[in-house]
Amino acid sequence: MSDNNKLVYCSFCNTHKDLVTKLIVSDNVAICSDCIELCNQLILEENKTDTEDKANKIDAFSIKQHLDKHVIGQDRAKIALSVAIANHYKRINGDPPKDIEIAKSNVLMIGPTGSGKTLLAKSVAKYLNVPFVVADATSLTEAGYVGDDVETMIAMLLAMSDGDIELAEKGIVFIDEIDKIARKGESTSITRDVSGEGVQQALLKLVEGTKCRVSALGKRKNPNSDTIEVDTKNILFIAGGAFVGLNEILRSRVIGSSIGFGAEVKSKDTSVDLRLVTPDDLTKFGMIPEFIGRFTTTVSLEELNKPELIRILTQIKNSFIDQYKYIFSLDGVNLEFTQEAIDQIAENCIVLKTGARGLHSEVERVLLPHMFHISRYTEHGITELTITQEMVIDPKEIYLP
Ligand SMILES: Nc1ncnc2c1ncn2[C@@H]1O[C@H](COP(=O)(O)OP(=O)(O)OP(=O)(O)O)[C@@H](O)[C@H]1O
Ligand SMILES: [Mg+2]
């Protein structure tokens, strides 16, 4: 058979071109319309199982990839958190043999202010598409005291799930500022410590897994209103805090004991690796051992460095600079920053130790005089505003005659 003859047959099913609707021919292969149709179906089915797989499989690697898009730096923390989350959902979605029960492992995030603790937790919840609430530990109290008792967090989760109990029971509760409920020193036991140890005690049962009753609409508990039972066994609790002072505890344990000649070299600023934190250090800080025991995964975040701060300022979607550019554009002014200005802003945050949280207030501080005078700028036909390093160091409006 000559080459030309061959191309009147489909190379896949060998049917003659006269017997099919269409035969598409290239230099040396041909495919008929029936085979194209079949291939199409195969591709569609493959895609479908792909997305179904993704929905059922929460794997650490994909979580980390997602986090990389939203959180700059903090690689180690991202890996540890991704693994913890993946294991948590393996535990609740899996079907382990009867004699194996995977223990619940809540997550404790330790890291300086503005390093991305809340952002990490939020980004994870968004990826998993599970209900997520952020509760502030400082507003929590033991039952019976003025304030929100700890079950309010579960009520909030239920409200977030539109009352769907099953969904709420797989949610994530992020307890922020957990370090603020540390016991205040050894001697405070004379007066009952309302916001500290008592709250830690109250949280124990909840984070370990208990059936608690919460009011339906996320309202405060009221004996007359209908309450709903929610099992917290599969709710993942992530607690986060800056733990200011933990550094010193760590340092005195790790370096302090070896103080002797040459101790002056160890300046107060020697930073110690937060990865070295032990439950004992946290107990010294004021967390009760039973509480720490229920947060088996500890994730430590580092202070963001200057290049990371610059990336946060300029590269992430909806960065602070983008937000202000938009605000200025509303008055017809195109806002730009020189590289030196951006450098200086990042540098200021390093000095102030405010992390990425400081970026926002720095940009705000720098732009404030310009925002105040914006109408005068437009009256004078100013359409371009470039922020220079000097304008960061000494923010003031442009001189207009
Ligand atoms: N690693 C990061 N990558 C990108 N943005 C970040 C990062 N860290 C912080 N930010 C930004 O800085 C702001 C504060 O971050 P976040 O609330 O996560 O800090 P935090 O660690 O929880 O601090 P705090 O202890 O004060 O609560 C947010 O706007 C967040 O988007
Ligand atoms: Mg926070």
Side-chain angles (χ1 to χ4, degrees), residues 204-236:
L204 295 181
K205 273 229 114 62
L206 205 65
V207 300
E208 183 171 46
T210 183
K211 293 193 167 85
C212 69
R213 303 204 67 91
V214 296
S215 60
L217 291 165
K219 291 181 198 132
R220 276 186 53 71
K221 228 175 359 187
N222 161 353
N224 304 319
S225 73
D226 283 343
T227 57
I228 294 173
E229 189 176 84
V230 180
D231 192 343
T232 68
K233 175 176 86 191
N234 291 333
I235 294 177
L236 180 67

PDB file of all heavy atoms in Angstrom, residues 204-236:
ATOM      1  N   LEU A 204      -9.493  23.691  77.659  1.00  0.00           N
ATOM      2  CA  LEU A 204      -8.971  22.331  77.596  1.00  0.00           C
ATOM      3  C   LEU A 204      -9.928  21.344  76.943  1.00  0.00           C
ATOM      4  O   LEU A 204      -9.594  20.678  75.968  1.00  0.00           O
ATOM      5  CB  LEU A 204      -8.605  21.819  79.000  1.00  0.00           C
ATOM      6  CG  LEU A 204      -7.459  22.540  79.709  1.00  0.00           C
ATOM      7  CD1 LEU A 204      -7.206  21.912  81.066  1.00  0.00           C
ATOM      8  CD2 LEU A 204      -6.205  22.496  78.860  1.00  0.00           C
ATOM      9  N   LYS A 205     -11.138  21.273  77.473  1.00  0.00           N
ATOM     10  CA  LYS A 205     -12.117  20.300  76.998  1.00  0.00           C
ATOM     11  C   LYS A 205     -12.462  20.551  75.538  1.00  0.00           C
ATOM     12  O   LYS A 205     -12.540  19.634  74.719  1.00  0.00           O
ATOM     13  CB  LYS A 205     -13.410  20.403  77.841  1.00  0.00           C
ATOM     14  CG  LYS A 205     -13.390  19.584  79.064  1.00  0.00           C
ATOM     15  CD  LYS A 205     -14.679  18.741  79.174  1.00  0.00           C
ATOM     16  CE  LYS A 205     -14.450  17.254  79.055  1.00  0.00           C
ATOM     17  NZ  LYS A 205     -13.593  16.733  80.116  1.00  0.00           N
ATOM     18  N   LEU A 206     -12.652  21.820  75.242  1.00  0.00           N
ATOM     19  CA  LEU A 206     -13.098  22.215  73.910  1.00  0.00           C
ATOM     20  C   LEU A 206     -12.090  21.791  72.840  1.00  0.00           C
ATOM     21  O   LEU A 206     -12.456  21.213  71.815  1.00  0.00           O
ATOM     22  CB  LEU A 206     -13.271  23.734  73.899  1.00  0.00           C
ATOM     23  CG  LEU A 206     -14.248  24.291  72.890  1.00  0.00           C
ATOM     24  CD1 LEU A 206     -15.647  23.814  73.212  1.00  0.00           C
ATOM     25  CD2 LEU A 206     -14.196  25.817  72.920  1.00  0.00           C
ATOM     26  N   VAL A 207     -10.816  22.075  73.081  1.00  0.00           N
ATOM     27  CA  VAL A 207      -9.825  21.791  72.039  1.00  0.00           C
ATOM     28  C   VAL A 207      -9.532  20.301  71.943  1.00  0.00           C
ATOM     29  O   VAL A 207      -9.105  19.801  70.909  1.00  0.00           O
ATOM     30  CB  VAL A 207      -8.504  22.581  72.240  1.00  0.00           C
ATOM     31  CG1 VAL A 207      -8.756  24.062  72.217  1.00  0.00           C
ATOM     32  CG2 VAL A 207      -7.776  22.176  73.487  1.00  0.00           C
ATOM     33  N   GLU A 208      -9.773  19.589  73.032  1.00  0.00           N
ATOM     34  CA  GLU A 208      -9.515  18.159  73.000  1.00  0.00           C
ATOM     35  C   GLU A 208     -10.629  17.421  72.275  1.00  0.00           C
ATOM     36  O   GLU A 208     -10.419  16.429  71.611  1.00  0.00           O
ATOM     37  CB  GLU A 208      -9.398  17.647  74.430  1.00  0.00           C
ATOM     38  CG  GLU A 208      -9.070  16.188  74.498  1.00  0.00           C
ATOM     39  CD  GLU A 208      -8.748  15.801  75.917  1.00  0.00           C
ATOM     40  OE1 GLU A 208      -9.508  16.201  76.819  1.00  0.00           O
ATOM     41  OE2 GLU A 208      -7.746  15.122  76.120  1.00  0.00           O
ATOM     42  N   GLY A 209     -11.825  17.939  72.380  1.00  0.00           N
ATOM     43  CA  GLY A 209     -12.972  17.299  71.756  1.00  0.00           C
ATOM     44  C   GLY A 209     -14.037  17.043  72.784  1.00  0.00           C
ATOM     45  O   GLY A 209     -13.856  16.252  73.703  1.00  0.00           O
ATOM     46  N   THR A 210     -15.143  17.728  72.627  1.00  0.00           N
ATOM     47  CA  THR A 210     -16.242  17.548  73.563  1.00  0.00           C
ATOM     48  C   THR A 210     -17.530  17.879  72.820  1.00  0.00           C
ATOM     49  O   THR A 210     -17.499  18.490  71.756  1.00  0.00           O
ATOM     50  CB  THR A 210     -16.070  18.480  74.785  1.00  0.00           C
ATOM     51  OG1 THR A 210     -17.125  18.230  75.694  1.00  0.00           O
ATOM     52  CG2 THR A 210     -16.133  19.952  74.392  1.00  0.00           C
ATOM     53  N   LYS A 211     -18.638  17.439  73.412  1.00  0.00           N
ATOM     54  CA  LYS A 211     -19.905  17.829  72.798  1.00  0.00           C
ATOM     55  C   LYS A 211     -20.368  19.061  73.547  1.00  0.00           C
ATOM     56  O   LYS A 211     -20.613  19.004  74.742  1.00  0.00           O
ATOM     57  CB  LYS A 211     -20.924  16.703  72.930  1.00  0.00           C
ATOM     58  CG  LYS A 211     -20.520  15.484  72.115  1.00  0.00           C
ATOM     59  CD  LYS A 211     -21.668  14.504  71.978  1.00  0.00           C
ATOM     60  CE  LYS A 211     -21.377  13.459  70.928  1.00  0.00           C
ATOM     61  NZ  LYS A 211     -20.600  12.311  71.414  1.00  0.00           N
ATOM     62  N   CYS A 212     -20.444  20.178  72.852  1.00  0.00           N
ATOM     63  CA  CYS A 212     -20.875  21.363  73.579  1.00  0.00           C
ATOM     64  C   CYS A 212     -22.165  21.892  72.971  1.00  0.00           C
ATOM     65  O   CYS A 212     -22.478  21.642  71.812  1.00  0.00           O
ATOM     66  CB  CYS A 212     -19.780  22.426  73.595  1.00  0.00           C
ATOM     67  SG  CYS A 212     -19.457  23.163  72.022  1.00  0.00           S
ATOM     68  N   ARG A 213     -22.907  22.600  73.788  1.00  0.00           N
ATOM     69  CA  ARG A 213     -24.190  23.132  73.315  1.00  0.00           C
ATOM     70  C   ARG A 213     -24.042  24.617  73.064  1.00  0.00           C
ATOM     71  O   ARG A 213     -23.559  25.363  73.907  1.00  0.00           O
ATOM     72  CB  ARG A 213     -25.284  22.872  74.359  1.00  0.00           C
ATOM     73  CG  ARG A 213     -25.461  21.415  74.713  1.00  0.00           C
ATOM     74  CD  ARG A 213     -26.865  21.153  75.243  1.00  0.00           C
ATOM     75  NE  ARG A 213     -27.856  21.349  74.209  1.00  0.00           N
ATOM     76  CZ  ARG A 213     -28.296  20.384  73.391  1.00  0.00           C
ATOM     77  NH1 ARG A 213     -27.819  19.171  73.505  1.00  0.00           N
ATOM     78  NH2 ARG A 213     -29.197  20.636  72.479  1.00  0.00           N
ATOM     79  N   VAL A 214     -24.413  24.997  71.859  1.00  0.00           N
ATOM     80  CA  VAL A 214     -24.320  26.424  71.543  1.00  0.00           C
ATOM     81  C   VAL A 214     -25.659  26.903  71.008  1.00  0.00           C
ATOM     82  O   VAL A 214     -26.453  26.120  70.492  1.00  0.00           O
ATOM     83  CB  VAL A 214     -23.207  26.706  70.500  1.00  0.00           C
ATOM     84  CG1 VAL A 214     -21.856  26.343  71.060  1.00  0.00           C
ATOM     85  CG2 VAL A 214     -23.464  25.978  69.202  1.00  0.00           C
ATOM     86  N   SER A 215     -25.879  28.182  71.142  1.00  0.00           N
ATOM     87  CA  SER A 215     -27.155  28.691  70.646  1.00  0.00           C
ATOM     88  C   SER A 215     -27.095  28.824  69.133  1.00  0.00           C
ATOM     89  O   SER A 215     -26.033  29.058  68.557  1.00  0.00           O
ATOM     90  CB  SER A 215     -27.482  30.025  71.305  1.00  0.00           C
ATOM     91  OG  SER A 215     -26.469  30.946  71.014  1.00  0.00           O
ATOM     92  N   ALA A 216     -28.260  28.683  68.527  1.00  0.00           N
ATOM     93  CA  ALA A 216     -28.344  28.491  67.089  1.00  0.00           C
ATOM     94  C   ALA A 216     -27.743  29.605  66.258  1.00  0.00           C
ATOM     95  O   ALA A 216     -26.967  29.377  65.355  1.00  0.00           O
ATOM     96  CB  ALA A 216     -29.796  28.272  66.696  1.00  0.00           C
ATOM     97  N   LEU A 217     -28.061  30.823  66.560  1.00  0.00           N
ATOM     98  CA  LEU A 217     -27.666  31.893  65.663  1.00  0.00           C
ATOM     99  C   LEU A 217     -26.363  32.558  66.052  1.00  0.00           C
ATOM    100  O   LEU A 217     -26.050  33.654  65.635  1.00  0.00           O
ATOM    101  CB  LEU A 217     -28.780  32.941  65.574  1.00  0.00           C
ATOM    102  CG  LEU A 217     -30.010  32.418  64.851  1.00  0.00           C
ATOM    103  CD1 LEU A 217     -31.194  33.329  65.098  1.00  0.00           C
ATOM    104  CD2 LEU A 217     -29.756  32.265  63.364  1.00  0.00           C
ATOM    105  N   GLY A 218     -25.610  31.856  66.882  1.00  0.00           N
ATOM    106  CA  GLY A 218     -24.354  32.437  67.301  1.00  0.00           C
ATOM    107  C   GLY A 218     -24.569  33.505  68.354  1.00  0.00           C
ATOM    108  O   GLY A 218     -23.688  34.286  68.636  1.00  0.00           O
ATOM    109  N   LYS A 219     -25.781  33.517  68.934  1.00  0.00           N
ATOM    110  CA  LYS A 219     -26.023  34.488  70.007  1.00  0.00           C
ATOM    111  C   LYS A 219     -25.440  33.938  71.302  1.00  0.00           C
ATOM    112  O   LYS A 219     -25.123  32.770  71.400  1.00  0.00           O
ATOM    113  CB  LYS A 219     -27.529  34.696  70.197  1.00  0.00           C
ATOM    114  CG  LYS A 219     -28.169  35.400  69.041  1.00  0.00           C
ATOM    115  CD  LYS A 219     -29.647  35.563  69.347  1.00  0.00           C
ATOM    116  CE  LYS A 219     -30.435  35.855  68.096  1.00  0.00           C
ATOM    117  NZ  LYS A 219     -31.626  35.027  67.975  1.00  0.00           N
ATOM    118  N   ARG A 220     -25.327  34.804  72.259  1.00  0.00           N
ATOM    119  CA  ARG A 220     -24.810  34.310  73.538  1.00  0.00           C
ATOM    120  C   ARG A 220     -25.788  33.315  74.155  1.00  0.00           C
ATOM    121  O   ARG A 220     -26.975  33.383  73.947  1.00  0.00           O
ATOM    122  CB  ARG A 220     -24.584  35.484  74.481  1.00  0.00           C
ATOM    123  CG  ARG A 220     -23.250  36.137  74.236  1.00  0.00           C
ATOM    124  CD  ARG A 220     -22.972  37.195  75.260  1.00  0.00           C
ATOM    125  NE  ARG A 220     -23.103  36.691  76.646  1.00  0.00           N
ATOM    126  CZ  ARG A 220     -22.248  35.847  77.205  1.00  0.00           C
ATOM    127  NH1 ARG A 220     -21.214  35.415  76.527  1.00  0.00           N
ATOM    128  NH2 ARG A 220     -22.426  35.449  78.426  1.00  0.00           N
ATOM    129  N   LYS A 221     -25.210  32.383  74.880  1.00  0.00           N
ATOM    130  CA  LYS A 221     -26.036  31.328  75.436  1.00  0.00           C
ATOM    131  C   LYS A 221     -27.085  31.891  76.387  1.00  0.00           C
ATOM    132  O   LYS A 221     -26.820  32.797  77.153  1.00  0.00           O
ATOM    133  CB  LYS A 221     -25.157  30.328  76.177  1.00  0.00           C
ATOM    134  CG  LYS A 221     -25.520  28.940  75.771  1.00  0.00           C
ATOM    135  CD  LYS A 221     -24.687  27.839  76.315  1.00  0.00           C
ATOM    136  CE  LYS A 221     -23.540  28.146  77.198  1.00  0.00           C
ATOM    137  NZ  LYS A 221     -22.745  26.977  77.511  1.00  0.00           N
ATOM    138  N   ASN A 222     -28.224  31.348  76.272  1.00  0.00           N
ATOM    139  CA  ASN A 222     -29.337  31.839  77.068  1.00  0.00           C
ATOM    140  C   ASN A 222     -30.172  30.615  77.381  1.00  0.00           C
ATOM    141  O   ASN A 222     -30.540  29.862  76.485  1.00  0.00           O
ATOM    142  CB  ASN A 222     -30.077  32.862  76.179  1.00  0.00           C
ATOM    143  CG  ASN A 222     -31.486  33.144  76.641  1.00  0.00           C
ATOM    144  OD1 ASN A 222     -32.019  32.503  77.547  1.00  0.00           O
ATOM    145  ND2 ASN A 222     -32.109  34.110  75.999  1.00  0.00           N
ATOM    146  N   PRO A 223     -30.418  30.383  78.648  1.00  0.00           N
ATOM    147  CA  PRO A 223     -31.062  29.123  79.042  1.00  0.00           C
ATOM    148  C   PRO A 223     -32.397  28.884  78.337  1.00  0.00           C
ATOM    149  O   PRO A 223     -32.812  27.744  78.167  1.00  0.00           O
ATOM    150  CB  PRO A 223     -31.247  29.273  80.552  1.00  0.00           C
ATOM    151  CG  PRO A 223     -30.738  30.613  80.933  1.00  0.00           C
ATOM    152  CD  PRO A 223     -30.114  31.260  79.754  1.00  0.00           C
ATOM    153  N   ASN A 224     -33.046  29.958  77.901  1.00  0.00           N
ATOM    154  CA  ASN A 224     -34.363  29.771  77.288  1.00  0.00           C
ATOM    155  C   ASN A 224     -34.304  29.528  75.788  1.00  0.00           C
ATOM    156  O   ASN A 224     -35.259  29.075  75.186  1.00  0.00           O
ATOM    157  CB  ASN A 224     -35.235  31.000  77.536  1.00  0.00           C
ATOM    158  CG  ASN A 224     -35.340  31.284  79.025  1.00  0.00           C
ATOM    159  OD1 ASN A 224     -35.475  30.346  79.812  1.00  0.00           O
ATOM    160  ND2 ASN A 224     -35.238  32.543  79.396  1.00  0.00           N
ATOM    161  N   SER A 225     -33.181  29.874  75.174  1.00  0.00           N
ATOM    162  CA  SER A 225     -33.152  29.735  73.723  1.00  0.00           C
ATOM    163  C   SER A 225     -32.775  28.310  73.337  1.00  0.00           C
ATOM    164  O   SER A 225     -32.213  27.564  74.126  1.00  0.00           O
ATOM    165  CB  SER A 225     -32.150  30.718  73.129  1.00  0.00           C
ATOM    166  OG  SER A 225     -30.844  30.261  73.404  1.00  0.00           O
ATOM    167  N   ASP A 226     -33.070  27.958  72.105  1.00  0.00           N
ATOM    168  CA  ASP A 226     -32.740  26.614  71.632  1.00  0.00           C
ATOM    169  C   ASP A 226     -31.240  26.493  71.491  1.00  0.00           C
ATOM    170  O   ASP A 226     -30.590  27.373  70.960  1.00  0.00           O
ATOM    171  CB  ASP A 226     -33.367  26.394  70.256  1.00  0.00           C
ATOM    172  CG  ASP A 226     -34.842  26.113  70.390  1.00  0.00           C
ATOM    173  OD1 ASP A 226     -35.267  25.788  71.512  1.00  0.00           O
ATOM    174  OD2 ASP A 226     -35.558  26.232  69.375  1.00  0.00           O
ATOM    175  N   THR A 227     -30.710  25.370  71.950  1.00  0.00           N
ATOM    176  CA  THR A 227     -29.280  25.171  71.752  1.00  0.00           C
ATOM    177  C   THR A 227     -29.059  23.955  70.870  1.00  0.00           C
ATOM    178  O   THR A 227     -29.911  23.076  70.765  1.00  0.00           O
ATOM    179  CB  THR A 227     -28.532  24.983  73.083  1.00  0.00           C
ATOM    180  OG1 THR A 227     -29.120  23.883  73.768  1.00  0.00           O
ATOM    181  CG2 THR A 227     -28.577  26.237  73.923  1.00  0.00           C
ATOM    182  N   ILE A 228     -27.919  23.942  70.238  1.00  0.00           N
ATOM    183  CA  ILE A 228     -27.586  22.879  69.303  1.00  0.00           C
ATOM    184  C   ILE A 228     -26.312  22.225  69.786  1.00  0.00           C
ATOM    185  O   ILE A 228     -25.393  22.900  70.248  1.00  0.00           O
ATOM    186  CB  ILE A 228     -27.363  23.468  67.888  1.00  0.00           C
ATOM    187  CG1 ILE A 228     -28.679  24.029  67.361  1.00  0.00           C
ATOM    188  CG2 ILE A 228     -26.809  22.431  66.933  1.00  0.00           C
ATOM    189  CD1 ILE A 228     -28.540  24.764  66.062  1.00  0.00           C
ATOM    190  N   GLU A 229     -26.260  20.891  69.648  1.00  0.00           N
ATOM    191  CA  GLU A 229     -25.061  20.201  70.108  1.00  0.00           C
ATOM    192  C   GLU A 229     -24.033  20.116  68.987  1.00  0.00           C
ATOM    193  O   GLU A 229     -24.340  19.700  67.878  1.00  0.00           O
ATOM    194  CB  GLU A 229     -25.424  18.799  70.583  1.00  0.00           C
ATOM    195  CG  GLU A 229     -24.263  18.128  71.267  1.00  0.00           C
ATOM    196  CD  GLU A 229     -24.653  16.761  71.817  1.00  0.00           C
ATOM    197  OE1 GLU A 229     -24.622  15.786  71.049  1.00  0.00           O
ATOM    198  OE2 GLU A 229     -24.996  16.691  73.011  1.00  0.00           O
ATOM    199  N   VAL A 230     -22.831  20.544  69.276  1.00  0.00           N
ATOM    200  CA  VAL A 230     -21.747  20.461  68.293  1.00  0.00           C
ATOM    201  C   VAL A 230     -20.598  19.689  68.917  1.00  0.00           C
ATOM    202  O   VAL A 230     -20.197  19.965  70.048  1.00  0.00           O
ATOM    203  CB  VAL A 230     -21.251  21.875  67.887  1.00  0.00           C
ATOM    204  CG1 VAL A 230     -20.131  21.774  66.867  1.00  0.00           C
ATOM    205  CG2 VAL A 230     -22.388  22.716  67.338  1.00  0.00           C
ATOM    206  N   ASP A 231     -20.096  18.703  68.171  1.00  0.00           N
ATOM    207  CA  ASP A 231     -18.966  17.914  68.652  1.00  0.00           C
ATOM    208  C   ASP A 231     -17.678  18.565  68.148  1.00  0.00           C
ATOM    209  O   ASP A 231     -17.510  18.767  66.947  1.00  0.00           O
ATOM    210  CB  ASP A 231     -19.097  16.484  68.093  1.00  0.00           C
ATOM    211  CG  ASP A 231     -18.130  15.533  68.777  1.00  0.00           C
ATOM    212  OD1 ASP A 231     -17.182  16.021  69.418  1.00  0.00           O
ATOM    213  OD2 ASP A 231     -18.328  14.311  68.654  1.00  0.00           O
ATOM    214  N   THR A 232     -16.788  18.875  69.063  1.00  0.00           N
ATOM    215  CA  THR A 232     -15.578  19.590  68.648  1.00  0.00           C
ATOM    216  C   THR A 232     -14.405  18.646  68.347  1.00  0.00           C
ATOM    217  O   THR A 232     -13.297  19.096  68.096  1.00  0.00           O
ATOM    218  CB  THR A 232     -15.130  20.604  69.731  1.00  0.00           C
ATOM    219  OG1 THR A 232     -14.692  19.874  70.876  1.00  0.00           O
ATOM    220  CG2 THR A 232     -16.237  21.551  70.109  1.00  0.00           C
ATOM    221  N   LYS A 233     -14.716  17.343  68.356  1.00  0.00           N
ATOM    222  CA  LYS A 233     -13.672  16.323  68.188  1.00  0.00           C
ATOM    223  C   LYS A 233     -12.854  16.525  66.909  1.00  0.00           C
ATOM    224  O   LYS A 233     -11.648  16.324  66.894  1.00  0.00           O
ATOM    225  CB  LYS A 233     -14.395  14.967  68.179  1.00  0.00           C
ATOM    226  CG  LYS A 233     -13.564  13.779  67.897  1.00  0.00           C
ATOM    227  CD  LYS A 233     -14.403  12.519  68.022  1.00  0.00           C
ATOM    228  CE  LYS A 233     -15.095  12.274  66.690  1.00  0.00           C
ATOM    229  NZ  LYS A 233     -16.120  11.267  66.688  1.00  0.00           N
ATOM    230  N   ASN A 234     -13.525  16.923  65.832  1.00  0.00           N
ATOM    231  CA  ASN A 234     -12.820  17.069  64.553  1.00  0.00           C
ATOM    232  C   ASN A 234     -12.543  18.511  64.157  1.00  0.00           C
ATOM    233  O   ASN A 234     -12.117  18.789  63.047  1.00  0.00           O
ATOM    234  CB  ASN A 234     -13.615  16.382  63.440  1.00  0.00           C
ATOM    235  CG  ASN A 234     -13.599  14.880  63.612  1.00  0.00           C
ATOM    236  OD1 ASN A 234     -12.666  14.336  64.181  1.00  0.00           O
ATOM    237  ND2 ASN A 234     -14.641  14.217  63.140  1.00  0.00           N
ATOM    238  N   ILE A 235     -12.833  19.403  65.058  1.00  0.00           N
ATOM    239  CA  ILE A 235     -12.527  20.806  64.763  1.00  0.00           C
ATOM    240  C   ILE A 235     -11.039  21.023  65.024  1.00  0.00           C
ATOM    241  O   ILE A 235     -10.513  20.588  66.049  1.00  0.00           O
ATOM    242  CB  ILE A 235     -13.375  21.750  65.644  1.00  0.00           C
ATOM    243  CG1 ILE A 235     -14.855  21.603  65.261  1.00  0.00           C
ATOM    244  CG2 ILE A 235     -12.920  23.198  65.500  1.00  0.00           C
ATOM    245  CD1 ILE A 235     -15.810  22.427  66.097  1.00  0.00           C
ATOM    246  N   LEU A 236     -10.386  21.636  64.074  1.00  0.00           N
ATOM    247  CA  LEU A 236      -8.961  21.893  64.256  1.00  0.00           C
ATOM    248  C   LEU A 236      -8.772  23.250  64.922  1.00  0.00           C
ATOM    249  O   LEU A 236      -9.286  24.256  64.444  1.00  0.00           O
ATOM    250  CB  LEU A 236      -8.247  21.871  62.901  1.00  0.00           C
ATOM    251  CG  LEU A 236      -6.743  22.137  62.961  1.00  0.00           C
ATOM    252  CD1 LEU A 236      -6.018  21.003  63.677  1.00  0.00           C
ATOM    253  CD2 LEU A 236      -6.162  22.304  61.567  1.00  0.00           C
TER     254      LEU A 236
END
